[in-house]
Amino acid sequence: MGTISATLDLAQAYPYHTITASLFFILVVNALFFRKRASSLPLPPGPKGFPLIGNIFDIPTDKPWLVYNEWAKIYGDMIYFKVLGQPFLVLHTLERTYDIFEKRSSNYSDRARMPMILELMNWDYNMALLPYGTWWRRHRRAFHEHFHPGVVAKYQPIQSREARGFLYRLLVSPENFRHHIRHAFAATIMSIAYGITVKESNDPYILNAEEALEGLSEAGVPGRFLVDLIPVLKYVPKWFPGANFKRKAARWRKVNVDVAQKPFYYVKDQMTKGTAVPSLAATLIDRLPGDNDPSRREEEKIAQDTAAVAYVGGADTTVSAVQSFFLAMAMYPEVQTKAQAEIDQVVGWNRLPEFSDRPSLPYINALVKESMRWQLVTPLAVGHMCSRDDEYNGYFIPKGTIVVGNSWAILHDPTVFSDPLEYQPERYLKDGRLDPNARNPDVAAFGFGRRICAGRHMSDNSLYAIVSSVLAVYDIRPPLDDEGNPIQLKAEVTSGLLSYPVPFKCTIKPRSPAAEALIRDSFEGDR
Ligand code: HEM
C-alpha cells in the first residue's frame, strides 16, 4: 500500500499562509453553502476545538496512534474532531471498526478527494487512492483475481528464490541488511508483476518507483498543497505566480507515467517478439480484448494499473514488517532459540524451509503474526471517507467524515494481548498449535472492510519465506560496542502513514559452517 496520504498529519503540514488562505476559503464556503445539520443526534465526543480552524493545534504529528490511544481514555472508543472544516472520526476498538467498516461498508469505503495526487500527479493508477465506485471496483476485481488466497501460491517459487538471494546477500554484506530487505521485495514484486529481473543497484525501474513514492509522501500530507483544499486551483496555469505546485506536479506526473507504463510496454514488446517470460502483466495483456473492441482502452488501462499497483503497494510495506522481525530477533534471543529449534526439528540441517513445511511450523507461524502486530506497518491503516450522513450508536456522523481505525490500539489492547509491548509469539499458541481463539493481527493490521489490503495474502507468504529462511541459517544478535559488549536495542519506530523501526544495527552470522554452505549452495544468482 505504501502509497496513500496520511489523513491526520495536519498541524505540521500547514504553513502559515496556507492556513490563512484556507480560513478565508472556509469562511466563504461556509457562508455560501452552510448546511443545516441533518440530525438532532450529537456528534461523537472529542476534544473541543476553535471555530473554523477546529482542532488544528491538537492534532498530534508524532505517532498519532499513541495520542489517540490516550484520548480514548477521556472520550471513549469513538473520537470526533474537525480540522479546517474537515471532520475526522477515530475508532478505537474492533467492535467499532467492525460495525462501521464491515457492517456499513457501502457507506464507509470512499477515500478523501486528493486533486493534487490524483488529478495533477497522475496517481490515478493506484487503486488504493481511487474514490469508491465502479472504476475502483473494476480495478479491485482485476487485482483480486491475481492475489486472492487461492491463487497466491503460484508466486511461491519466486518468493523462495528471492529469499535465497537475500540470504546470500546477507552473507556478503550483513551490515547492509536494510538495503537487502528492500532489494528482496523490489526484486520479488518486479518479477511477479513483469517478469523483470532487477539490477543489484541503481535499477532504473526501482529508482523511478522510489521517486514516485517520495512525491506521494510529500503531496500526501493533507494541506501540503492548497489545491487539495481549493480544487479549482488546479486550473491555474503553470506560469501563474505561486503556481509552483503545478510545476512540481508536472515533474511527478512524468515519473508516474514512467512507473505505470515503461515496464508494461516492455512486457508488451517482449510478447510481440515472443520472448516474454510469464508474469502478471503478460497474463493481463494476453487476455485483453482485440484492438478494435470498444472496451480495449479501458481494459488496457486497468491491466497496466493492476501490475503497477502491485509494485507501489507492495514494495515498501512488507519491508517494514521484516525490519521489525530483525529487531525483535536481536532483542528477544529466547524467541529466536525456540524458533530455530522448531525449524531444526521439522526441516533438519540439510535444506532450507519450504512453503510445504509451513503447516508443521506453528511457532514460526506465530512469529510471523507477532511480527505484524508488535510494531505495526500502518498503525492507523488508511482513512475511509463516509459517503452519506449516518447515525450510529446514538451519534451523528456527517457525510465527508474521514474515518480512521486505530489499528495500533486494537492490536495493543491489554485486555486482549497481555504485555502488548512485548514480542511474544506464544500468545497465538495453545498446546503447541496455533490457537484459533487468539486475536489474529489480520483483523486490523491490513486495514478494514471493502478497502482492506488486497495484497495481504502475498505479503504473508513473503514474510514467511524470509523469516523461516533467515532463522534456519542465521543467528541475529544485538550490535556490539567497542569493548565487544552487546548494545541494548530499543523498540522505536518512525511516525507517518508507514511506520518503520528507527534504523538500528545488529550482528548477523551464519549459525554454523554447514549453514553457510547451505546459503551458498541455494543461491541461484550471479556471484
Ligand atoms: C505488511 C504488508 C502490508 C501492509 C501492512 C499493508 C497495509 C495496507 C493498508 C492499511 C491498506 C488500506 C486498507 C484500508 O483502506 O482500510 C492497504 C491497501 C492496499 N494494499 Fe496493502 N499492505 C501490505 C502489503 C501489500 C502488498 C504486498 C501489496 C501488493 C502486492 C499491497 C497492495 C495493496 C492494494 C492494491 C491496496 C488498495 C486496496 C483498495 O483500496 O481497495 N499491499 N494495504
Side-chain angles (χ1 to χ4, degrees), residues 120 226-227 230-247 249 253:
L120 294 177
L226 199 53
V227 63
I230 312 175
V232 73
L233 286 180
K234 73 179 181 176
Y235 299 111
V236 165
K238 256 196 262 175
W239 49 262
F240 202 74
N244 194 25
F245 72 99
K246 288 281 289 230
R247 293 185 283 277
R253 184 163 59 239

Side-chain angles (χ1 to χ4, degrees), residues 1-3 185 189 309-319 458:
M1 185 266 336
T3 54
F185 282 93
I189 294 178
V309 81
Y311 184 84
V312 296
D316 53 358
T317 40
T318 324
V319 164
M458 194 206 113

Side-chain angles (χ1 to χ4, degrees), residues 321-361:
V322 173
Q323 289 181 3
S324 292
F325 155 73
F326 272 83
L327 180 61
M329 292 305 100
M331 289 178 65
Y332 294 87
E334 67 290 353
V335 170
Q336 191 173 167
T337 308
K338 279 191 206 170
Q340 289 171 330
E342 183 179 79
I343 293 176
D344 294 348
Q345 197 204 340
V346 173
V347 180
W349 283 91
N350 300 325
R351 65 177 180 90
L352 289 167
E354 304 284 351
F355 277 98
S356 54
D357 296 313
R358 194 166 181 180
S360 320
L361 296 169

Side-chain angles (χ1 to χ4, degrees), residues 6-143:
T7 37
L8 294 172
D9 201 5
L10 278 156
Q12 193 184 34
Y14 280 86
Y16 178 72
H17 63 273
T18 310
I19 296 180
T20 318
S22 312
L23 277 178
F24 175 72
F25 174 67
I26 289 161
L27 271 174
V28 173
V29 170
N30 276 345
L32 289 176
F33 304 109
F34 186 74
R35 198 165 62 101
K36 202 171 170 310
R37 249 229 343 252
S39 167
S40 54
L41 291 178
L43 293 162
K48 205 167 149 41
F50 294 99
L52 293 176
I53 57 170
N55 299 87
I56 194 162
F57 300 118
D58 297 325
I59 298 302
T61 53
D62 188 39
K63 303 186 195 75
W65 52 92
L66 298 181
V67 180
Y68 299 138
N69 197 42
E70 291 307 307
W71 285 6
K73 292 176 189 157
I74 306 167
Y75 304 110
D77 59 4
M78 294 172 70
I79 308 161
Y80 180 90
F81 53 88
K82 258 186 170 183
V83 178
L84 294 176
Q86 171 61 56
F88 289 92
L89 176 66
V90 181
L91 305 175
H92 186 71
T93 55
L94 192 57
E95 186 194 349
R96 297 285 168 238
T97 56
Y98 185 71
D99 280 355
I100 293 284
F101 294 130
E102 303 285 345
K103 289 201 202 153
R104 300 180 182 214
S105 59
S106 65
N107 195 25
Y108 290 93
S109 296
D110 206 354
R111 293 283 193 227
R113 191 175 171 201
M114 291 168 279
M116 178 71 178
I117 290 176
L118 280 182
E119 291 156 49
L120 294 177
M121 289 166 63
N122 270 33
W123 264 105
D124 61 338
Y125 67 90
N126 184 349
M127 77 169 175
L129 305 167
L130 290 177
Y132 185 59
T134 313
W135 189 236
W136 164 79
R137 208 170 283 113
R138 284 172 70 186
H139 279 78
R140 178 96 192 182
R141 210 179 294 127
F143 192 92

Side-chain angles (χ1 to χ4, degrees), residues 155-176:
Y155 307 125
Q156 289 174 355
I158 295 175
Q159 290 170 307
S160 294
R161 185 188 72 209
E162 292 306 332
R164 282 150 174 64
F166 175 63
L167 295 182
Y168 182 75
R169 289 182 197 98
L170 279 182
L171 195 61
V172 177
S173 50
E175 67 287 358
N176 291 338

